[in-house]
Amino acid sequence: MTYDPTGHLLLTPVDQEAPARVRRLRQLGLGERPEPAFDAFADRLAEVTGAPYSMVNFIDENRQFFAGLHTPTGLHSGADLGAVASSGAVSRYMDRDHGYCPHVVVRRKALVLEDVCDYPRFAGNPVVDEIGIRSYLGAPLIDRTGTALGTICVVDTEPRPWGRAGLETIKSLAAELVEQIHRREEGRL
């Protein structure tokens, strides 16, 4: 974990597994382009949880990529989340130091933040001030090689009582998507 010299408690955790993850993502052909199947999965995540935003997110050393994305507009655009490329163009990419998915990947465990402002460690994240995110529910996508490829997650601009039911739902859906990724890989062989 790194610390912000301006006094914020948390930045993004150190990710020792990122190079291996990038190799595995490239082997699977994931993390470089949006995919309709992942957009459909993100739509389903939003429907099941009632969340306005949901993502299938793959993470490399420097950024996050929303291969699947659901937003309230239904346009599968990162604009609603403030995912903006350095050129100012709307993108499905977000800096690695934004959001909570990098924490889930490094921890290799699901994370429930019913109100991110209740947790000083997470309240200082740029997505709180820049986008207005107030709640998060995410789980890692750990494939058969033991690699944490990324996450699935849902977020809201209001606090949400996800509870144990939300935790079990997100973990179950993550396992389902990992199986889908495995079937996709087997189809290529």
Side-chain angles (χ1 to χ4, degrees):
M1 180 174 5
T2 57
Y3 294 90
D4 181 349
T6 63
H8 289 98
L9 181 59
L10 167 78
L11 292 179
T12 307
V14 175
D15 184 357
Q16 303 287 345
E17 296 180 3
R21 176 180 318 105
V22 170
R23 283 190 300 276
R24 180 68 175 142
L25 287 170
R26 299 306 171 254
Q27 180 183 27
L28 293 167
L30 299 174
E32 295 181 345
R33 65 186 176 285
E35 298 198 21
F38 292 146
D39 281 339
F41 195 89
D43 288 342
R44 186 163 154 246
L45 273 172
E47 182 181 334
V48 167
T49 63
Y53 302 96
S54 60
M55 288 77 83
V56 174
N57 189 10
F58 298 113
I59 302 171
D60 68 20
E61 292 105 330
N62 303 306
R63 62 188 183 180
Q64 304 174 66
F65 177 69
F66 306 129
L69 179 63
H70 172 88
T71 65
T73 63
L75 297 177
H76 300 290
S77 165
D80 290 347
L81 278 174
V84 178
S86 57
S87 65
V90 173
S91 168
R92 285 187 183 230
Y93 292 97
M94 185 177 283
D95 289 338
R96 193 175 163 278
D97 67 346
H98 283 56
Y100 309 105
C101 291
H103 299 274
V104 171
V105 167
V106 170
R107 290 168 28 121
R108 302 173 66 84
K109 290 182 172 181
L111 178 63
V112 178
L113 300 171
E114 293 183 343
D115 186 342
V116 299
C117 294
D118 288 344
Y119 303 89
R121 177 179 185 190
F122 296 111
N125 194 285
V127 297
V128 175
D129 293 333
E130 294 174 16
I131 304 170
I133 299 302
R134 286 293 300 274
S135 60
Y136 173 91
L137 176 64
L141 299 170
I142 301 174
D143 82 342
R144 68 174 114 226
T145 68
T147 304
L149 303 172
T151 67
I152 60 168
C153 70
V154 294
V155 297
D156 201 336
T157 56
E158 299 292 329
R160 293 284 299 265
W162 304 112
R164 173 139 315 272
L167 177 64
E168 294 306 319
T169 297
I170 201 78
K171 288 166 55 176
S172 172
L173 289 167
E176 182 180 318
L177 185 58
V178 167
E179 285 305 313
Q180 182 179 328
I181 291 168
H182 289 164
R183 285 192 305 273
R184 169 189 164 139
E185 180 181 28
E186 291 161 1
R188 288 186 170 182
L189 300 176

